[in-house]
Amino acid sequence: MNDATRATARELVAPSKGILAADESTGTIKKRFDSIGVESTEGNRRQYRQMLFTTPGIGDHISGVILYDETIRQASDDGSTFVEVLEKAGVIPGIKVDTGAKALALFPGETVTEGLDGLRERLAEYGELGARFAKWRATIFIGEGFPTEFAILANAHAMARYAALCQDAGLVPIVEPEILMDGDHHIDACEDATARTLQALYAQLAEHRVDLPGTLLKVNMVLCGKGCPDQASHEEVAAATIRCLTANIPAEVPGVVFLSGGMSDEDATIRLNEMNKVSGHPWELSFSYGRALQQPSLRAWRGDPANLEAAQKVLAHRARMNGLARTGEYSPDLEASAA
Ligand code: 13P
């Protein structure tokens, strides 16, 4: 069993490829659709995801796509399920299985991610539907007096239980602790919170007997808070992130796939590229972007079938740019090649 999950984890971080996160919950996709004035109906969500997944050459730079419960059950206009569409394109289907971050009782301002109840059965069903990997996201906030050790531990424990259940079901768990950019904190506060979170997470994964080569880590880059007046340079972000990962991630982990977390699409590419210019880290450094891959394509689409081809071109372009950032070969000059 370990052999299969280890092989899938390595496939997901194959050279010049990364993951497309298209697992927005119904609430989140509504926000994205609101921004382009499109109503969030089941039909429009299906059309949008169909546009993304049928992008010509999607498999060139996308190794896997994270789906949402509704999406893994949907099909394209020609009747093939989205899982079949992706597999045909050489893309591995995955699934978000947490049920969201909820207020952590008696810890004002902090959250714990739920979704363990019935997870064994849901994983078995998702496996039958074709998912080969899963995702669970925990949110960690920086503020006055937090993150607390308890919120970090509660989330790490839940993530480790999820990861063990995934491996038991033959799926690769992506563990995703996200230290949010909300706030005006300095980059040092993010580095400290990220380090504490990763230490607790890897301690819990070890206690839960999770096989690290059959996992992937999805994490934030080490960044200043959005409201911090003194923003770090791309080089500083890359250096702080590599330093934090090197100190806290075991070498057996095959890959780190970053989330974009509200960075602009180009910043997310530039910073990944900066990190990959530095050689010598034991894990692959890749991407699992949601907004940073989808935003330009969503804006080009705007719910109009006439824009399908243009929107797909924009997605393919962003995927290619991030594919180049996997080896430090990206340059902002290449953005002009989008058209
Ligand atoms: P963003 O890249 O938009 O942060 O989304 C990634 C993701 O999957 C968050 O869970």
Side-chain angles (χ1 to χ4, degrees):
M1 189 194 65
N2 281 352
D3 288 351
T5 47
R6 288 180 178 194
T8 302
R10 282 196 305 271
E11 245 184 279
L12 285 167
V13 290
S16 82
K17 293 188 187 187
I19 297 170
L20 167 64
D23 59 326
E24 298 83 2
S25 62
T26 310
T28 303
I29 197 73
K30 181 178 181 311
K31 279 193 231 156
R32 307 278 185 265
F33 278 14
D34 284 349
S35 75
I36 53 162
V38 170
E39 199 189 341
S40 183
T41 61
E42 193 269 342
N44 285 341
R45 293 193 291 270
R46 192 184 68 81
Q47 287 298 334
Y48 175 63
R49 266 70 179 249
Q50 171 170 272
M51 179 279 287
L52 297 177
F53 305 159
T54 58
T55 294
I58 186 173
D60 294 350
H61 299 289
I62 299 295
S63 55
V65 172
I66 316 175
L67 304 167
Y68 181 59
D69 182 76
E70 175 185 86
T71 325
I72 200 171
R73 303 170 195 283
Q74 285 174 320
S76 59
D77 293 344
D78 72 3
S80 17
T81 65
F82 283 158
V83 166
E84 288 164 349
V85 168
L86 292 171
E87 280 172 343
K88 206 167 159 209
V91 176
I92 305 174
I95 181 79
K96 180 230 286 296
V97 301
D98 67 72
T99 55
K102 307 287 159 60
L104 180 61
L106 307 185
F107 285 76
E110 301 197 280
T111 63
V112 65
T113 296
E114 296 188 347
L116 289 170
D117 287 357
L119 182 57
R120 186 188 302 274
E121 292 73 22
R122 289 195 290 127
L123 287 169
E125 191 200 1
Y126 289 138
E128 277 166 26
L129 288 169
R132 288 171 52 203
F133 70 101
K135 182 193 104 169
W136 178 289
R137 171 173 174 259
T139 49
I140 304 289
F141 295 83
I142 297 177
E144 202 51 48
F146 49 82
T148 60
E149 281 309 306
F150 185 76
I152 288 175
L153 176 64
N155 279 294
H157 189 270
M159 248 182 305
R161 281 192 62 198
Y162 140 83
L165 282 162
C166 283
Q167 291 192 333
D168 209 29
L171 273 71
V172 172
I174 296 186
V175 285
E176 181 186 6
E178 174 173 3
I179 288 77
L180 285 122
M181 287 167 73
D182 300 355
D184 56 7
H185 50 269
H186 191 259
I187 192 167
D188 293 350
C190 180
E191 185 166 351
D192 178 64
T194 305
R196 286 164 58 205
T197 301
L198 292 175
Q199 282 156 23
L201 176 59
Y202 283 102
Q204 287 298 317
L205 290 170
E207 290 217 37
H208 286 74
R209 303 183 176 174
V210 171
D211 178 56
L212 294 184
T215 66
L216 291 175
L217 173 70
K218 175 161 174 167
V219 73
N220 51 283
M221 294 183 195
V222 172
L223 300 170
C224 300
K226 265 188 289 203
C228 177
D230 177 24
Q231 289 289 319
S233 68
H234 299 313
E235 293 77 11
E236 284 165 334
V237 166
T241 305
I242 298 258
R243 183 169 62 230
C244 186
L245 302 186
T246 302
N248 297 297
I249 305 177
E252 310 100 274
V253 173
V256 177
V257 293
F258 291 103
L259 57 93
S260 58
M263 285 187 277
S264 75
D265 44 331
E266 286 191 29
D267 281 357
T269 310
I270 293 171
R271 290 164 178 175
L272 178 63
N273 191 63
E274 279 303 314
M275 283 185 248
N276 276 316
K277 279 189 196 165
V278 183
S279 59
H281 32 79
W283 356 261
E284 297 291 332
L285 288 179
S286 184
F287 57 93
S288 174
Y289 294 154
R291 282 161 287 179
L293 276 170
Q294 291 185 49
Q295 273 305 342
S297 184
L298 178 76
R299 281 196 296 267
W301 178 66
R302 293 196 312 276
D304 185 344
N307 296 332
L308 179 103
E309 216 176 292
Q312 290 183 327
K313 266 197 181 156
V314 173
L315 174 67
H317 172 76
R318 283 263 51 84
R320 192 166 70 82
M321 295 298 102
N322 285 300
L324 289 168
R326 289 289 319 275
T327 47
E329 287 167 278
Y330 167 79
S331 150
D333 304 341
L334 297 167
E335 294 295 347
S337 65

